[in-house]
Amino acid sequence: MGSGGGQWIVEKRSSFRSEPLEVNVSETGCLSIVVLGASGDLAKKKTFPALFNLYRQGFLQSNEVHIFGYARTKISDDDLRNRIRRKGSAKSEEVSEFLQLIKYVSGSYDTEGGFRMLDKEISLHEEFRNSTEGSSRRLFYLALPPSVYPVVCRMIKLCCMNKSHLGGWTRIVVEKPFGKDLDSAEKLSNQIGELFEEPQLYRIDHYLGKELVQNLLVLRFANRFFLPLWNRDNIDNVQIVFREDFGTEGRGGYFDEYGIIRDIIQNHLLQVLCLVAMEKPVSLKPEHIRDEKVKVLQSVMPIKDEEVVLGQYNGYRDDPTVPDHSNTPTFATVVLRIHNERWEGVPFILKAGKALNSRKAEIRIQFKDVPGDIFRCKNQGRNEFVIRLQPSEAMYMKLTVKQPGLEMSTVQSELDLSYGQRYQQVTIPEAYERLILDTIRGDQQHFVRRDELRAAWEIFTPLLHRIDDGEFKPLPYQPGSRGPAEADELLERAGYVQTHGYIWIPPTL
């Protein structure tokens, strides 16, 4: 690395691109990444694999980075390495090299002893790398339940801080859920905010790291033909959908504390809504983008009872960890309405559910009918722009064309950009890889700001309290179905016109 204020040139070893990649790093000093909750499921499945891929691609260099696992479980360094080893995912020497960067420290989350030991190990690494005192960088990733965030943050503040006035930094990554309602989220924010400044906090929502979500700003503001269409004059309704074809599968007790609205809609889908609906920011600076997202949330009208359908799949309560009389929804369709000049009258339909008939996440923007339809093809369906987030990442425009042949008959087809076909030599990064790299770079664009979090909870808290109090009951639905029939009726009332006889099929190579 060069002197402070320079750029670090890294040769990436992945298939993303062949030329050197510039990584903006303005600080000097070695990098220590601490994964708290290192023995847990999230760390094993998401955090450590993301760190390995960043290492494999050249973003984390073995001569400057060290990774520390911290948890209560009393295991050795090698025990942790064996837990997170990924068989067959890469060359064995790469895996072995990466695993040697990992050291484990065992300790409690609410006492100083373990954190003092952790600080000692980090400091030894910094001394070994000949870092000037205080100039190194420390990243703490809390792969932990939110209930322990305040006490863990206090221990980090007390025992493990870097000396920022000497050029280094300390940053904290916290996972969702950020509270259960407005009051609990504000309490959590206050407790952590007393310890760390907002620029040090990274509230991670992995949906903001997905490739197609990242593409939304480019699609909207770099393409001339979308600019005049993206408003209430042309768009009839917007659907943002998350569907899973399996139930809680052993996570019933955890899920029952939160439900589908807290788990998916209030964070993931609402973040996507912000990017679909926001005005063009002044620039691509993180604060300018987040300012526009907050404006959207502050323009959302209170949710109406008649524009909500809740469901719970039959068999959900059979899980022994779920209460027999649980009122927790496993399905929800909610219509949000944005009170501003661009979107007045356009319903934004957020829909999420478990144990449905398919697995997918997508944004579906449906345009209004063509006026003066001389081809009488209205019954075939409307124009739609669909952005498929997962699986089979793609974006396609549904449009009406002439069916080949001697007759003047019309049919629905599509203009299709399927990533698996168009970008065959490109590996699409996992969301966590991108977001952890952003954290190291100090780019908060794809992280949730405190006022944004508050505005999101203000929208859903009244509805959530009514569900928690048993005033709003979920309707039963069969696993493997589309959810309650009342949800389709709500979509129809909101103006969505379902296309019949057309099915998008991902292209094959």
Side-chain angles (χ1 to χ4, degrees), residues 319-344:
D319 185 324
T321 63
V322 174
D324 291 340
H325 302 288
S326 171
N327 197 53
T328 301
T330 61
F331 173 98
T333 297
V334 181
V335 178
L336 297 185
R337 298 186 180 271
I338 300 171
H339 182 55
N340 64 18
E341 184 177 3
R342 181 182 294 272
W343 298 114
E344 188 74 43

Side-chain angles (χ1 to χ4, degrees), residues 243-246 356-361 388 390-392:
R243 303 167 65 90
E244 288 183 332
D245 56 2
F246 53 89
L356 299 176
N357 60 348
S358 63
R359 172 183 171 265
K360 66 178 178 180
R388 190 176 178 103
Q390 67 180 35
S392 305

Side-chain angles (χ1 to χ4, degrees), residues 6-224:
Q7 288 184 322
W8 185 24
I9 307 300
V10 178
E11 283 286 345
K12 286 185 70 179
R13 301 193 294 273
S14 74
S15 58
F16 288 107
R17 53 166 89 185
S18 57
E19 71 271 17
L21 184 80
E22 293 186 348
V23 180
N24 294 317
V25 179
S26 60
E27 305 91 352
T28 59
C30 65
L31 172 64
S32 298
I33 299 174
V34 182
V35 180
L36 295 114
S39 59
D41 205 43
L42 174 65
K44 178 182 177 181
K45 291 182 178 178
K46 296 294 183 182
T47 315
F48 283 117
L51 291 171
F52 169 70
N53 284 327
L54 290 175
Y55 169 78
R56 183 175 57 84
Q57 295 159 24
F59 288 115
L60 299 179
Q61 298 287 299
S62 58
N63 63 351
E64 68 136 19
V65 70
H66 208 71
I67 300 167
F68 299 85
Y70 185 92
R72 290 175 299 205
T73 310
K74 295 186 182 302
I75 55 174
S76 67
D77 295 349
D78 286 337
D79 288 336
L80 178 62
R81 292 166 185 161
N82 289 331
R83 284 189 182 200
I84 62 180
R85 186 182 294 272
R86 303 176 70 199
K87 296 179 180 179
S89 61
K91 296 178 182 178
S92 59
E93 58 266 29
E94 278 188 327
V95 175
S96 297
E97 289 169 4
F98 170 74
L99 292 175
Q100 290 308 306
L101 300 177
I102 298 174
K103 182 169 185 59
Y104 182 73
V105 178
S106 174
S108 169
Y109 293 125
D110 57 359
T111 58
E112 293 183 30
F115 284 90
R116 295 288 182 194
M117 179 61 69
L118 176 62
D119 180 66
K120 180 180 177 182
E121 294 291 345
I122 296 172
S123 298
L124 286 172
H125 162 62
E126 292 169 349
E127 291 170 13
F128 180 74
R129 296 300 179 193
N130 297 316
S131 285
T132 305
E133 184 183 6
S135 68
S136 59
R137 298 161 288 156
R138 296 184 177 187
L139 173 62
F140 293 86
Y141 193 111
L142 275 59
L144 295 165
S147 58
V148 300
Y149 288 171
V151 66
V152 169
C153 286
R154 271 199 305 276
M155 291 297 110
I156 293 171
K157 182 73 172 180
L158 185 64
C159 305
C160 301
M161 291 295 289
N162 203 2
K163 299 177 178 63
S164 59
H165 65 284
L166 296 177
W169 51 248
T170 302
R171 292 174 184 155
I172 311 294
V173 180
V174 293
E175 279 276 353
K176 78 168 189 75
F178 316 115
K180 296 183 69 173
D181 58 10
L182 179 58
D183 289 343
S184 60
E186 281 291 284
K187 181 180 179 181
L188 193 59
S189 292
N190 287 334
Q191 290 173 322
I192 299 176
E194 291 173 355
L195 302 167
F196 296 100
E197 301 292 329
E198 186 67 23
Q200 295 177 290
L201 293 171
Y202 290 74
R203 300 175 188 87
I204 196 168
D205 184 334
H206 74 271
Y207 250 59
L208 291 178
K210 289 186 175 293
E211 182 65 33
L212 272 294
V213 175
Q214 296 255 316
N215 212 338
L216 277 170
L217 294 188
V218 179
L219 282 170
R220 288 196 53 197
F221 302 125
N223 294 291
R224 183 69 177 86

Side-chain angles (χ1 to χ4, degrees), residues 373-443:
D373 178 19
I374 61 174
F375 294 101
R376 295 183 174 84
C377 55
K378 180 188 289 189
N379 62 339
Q380 290 177 347
R382 291 169 163 170
N383 295 145
E384 291 182 355
F385 180 45
V386 182
I387 303 168
R388 190 176 178 103
L389 308 179
Q390 67 180 35
S392 305
E393 293 93 342
M395 58 184 78
Y396 58 96
M397 178 72 80
K398 286 171 55 177
L399 71 170
T400 302
V401 298
K402 177 186 174 297
Q403 187 165 330
L406 297 176
E407 300 294 330
M408 180 56 75
S409 57
T410 59
V411 67
Q412 279 222 320
S413 188
E414 72 281 319
L415 300 175
D416 193 327
L417 168 58
S418 289
Y419 276 49
Q421 185 180 56
R422 180 65 178 84
Y423 303 113
Q424 296 181 31
Q425 304 305 315
V426 175
T427 302
I428 296 177
E430 290 290 330
Y432 279 92
E433 295 172 36
R434 190 190 312 273
L435 295 176
I436 291 174
L437 186 60
D438 282 349
T439 308
I440 296 169
R441 290 169 166 170
D443 184 349

Side-chain angles (χ1 to χ4, degrees), residues 246-375:
F246 53 89
T248 53
E249 297 191 345
R251 294 177 67 246
Y254 167 82
F255 181 85
D256 201 72
E257 286 188 51
Y258 296 97
I260 199 71
I261 295 177
R262 289 185 177 97
D263 196 40
I264 302 295
I265 294 179
Q266 183 273 339
N267 45 77
H268 297 335
L269 301 195
L270 199 58
Q271 286 291 320
V272 174
L273 178 146
C274 289
L275 295 173
V276 172
M278 64 186 274
E279 297 298 319
K280 182 188 288 187
V282 175
S283 75
L284 290 177
K285 291 180 179 178
E287 292 312 301
H288 290 157
I289 292 172
R290 299 203 292 182
D291 286 345
E292 296 302 332
K293 290 167 65 181
V294 171
K295 289 178 186 177
V296 171
L297 294 174
Q298 291 173 337
S299 299
V300 174
M301 301 290 287
I303 299 170
K304 298 178 181 178
D305 284 2
E306 61 268 24
E307 294 193 317
V308 177
V309 172
L310 305 177
Q312 186 185 93
Y313 67 84
N314 293 330
Y316 169 71
R317 298 179 193 173
D318 295 342
D319 185 324
T321 63
V322 174
D324 291 340
H325 302 288
S326 171
N327 197 53
T328 301
T330 61
F331 173 98
T333 297
V334 181
V335 178
L336 297 185
R337 298 186 180 271
I338 300 171
H339 182 55
N340 64 18
E341 184 177 3
R342 181 182 294 272
W343 298 114
E344 188 74 43
V346 178
F348 281 75
I349 304 161
L350 307 187
K351 180 178 179 180
K354 290 182 171 292
L356 299 176
N357 60 348
S358 63
R359 172 183 171 265
K360 66 178 178 180
E362 68 181 18
I363 307 161
R364 186 173 295 269
I365 296 158
Q366 186 170 89
F367 292 88
K368 294 187 175 182
D369 291 324
V370 175
D373 178 19
I374 61 174
F375 294 101

